[in-house]
Amino acid sequence: RALGASSPLQTTPAGTWLRAPGAHAVAMAMKGMVKVPNKEVDAAEHRDVEVDKDDQKRINQFSRLNMKFDELEEEISTLKKNIQTYKDATEEIEACMELEDGILCRIGEAYTPADEDAVTAQLDGMREKAEARLIACADEIESTKTDMDALKKVLYAKFGSNINLEK
């Protein structure tokens, strides 16, 4: 017999494993064995737990917090890119002002000459607003994460492996 097995079935505490018979035994052994469910073990792992109204509210709240967390992560990423863009633009303006040509600002489809101080002040204001929003988002994401962790503890305590709250 392939793999030197005396029986095609092997029983372990985690379940019953079926060895592949015939010429495909070596290939199946390389890929792993096929699991045949063991009803006694699976019943202990997946007990039926009734979901009451409060549990459903917690699950829905966790879902909303998870969506909010994802949106905040995306906003933080965008804000960081914008802040870097504002810094880069300020550096470019300073470099352009050293030249005699000055700078041109695009307004719609037209370019108009602009004063260095006005443009730099505008960019600094935009950067400061973005940095303030970034701090607010960081605080909000920490609060959301704390709330999610508290709900995870409650839901995993009741449902165990019957619920998946991981990304």
Side-chain angles (χ1 to χ4, degrees), residues 47-64:
R47 65 187 193 284
D48 289 335
V49 179
E50 188 174 323
V51 179
D52 59 21
K53 186 176 180 179
D54 290 335
D55 295 330
Q56 189 61 50
K57 285 182 181 180
R58 286 185 197 103
I59 292 168
N60 292 344
Q61 182 181 7
F62 183 86
S63 177
R64 285 189 300 272

Side-chain angles (χ1 to χ4, degrees), residues 43-82:
E45 290 177 2
H46 300 292
R47 65 187 193 284
D48 289 335
V49 179
E50 188 174 323
V51 179
D52 59 21
K53 186 176 180 179
D54 290 335
D55 295 330
Q56 189 61 50
K57 285 182 181 180
R58 286 185 197 103
I59 292 168
N60 292 344
Q61 182 181 7
F62 183 86
S63 177
R64 285 189 300 272
L65 288 171
N66 194 34
M67 289 189 311
K68 181 179 178 180
F69 185 86
D70 291 343
E71 289 170 0
L72 286 169
E73 278 185 327
E74 186 176 323
E75 185 174 358
I76 286 172
S77 175
T78 302
L79 286 168
K80 286 179 179 179
K81 288 178 186 175
N82 288 345

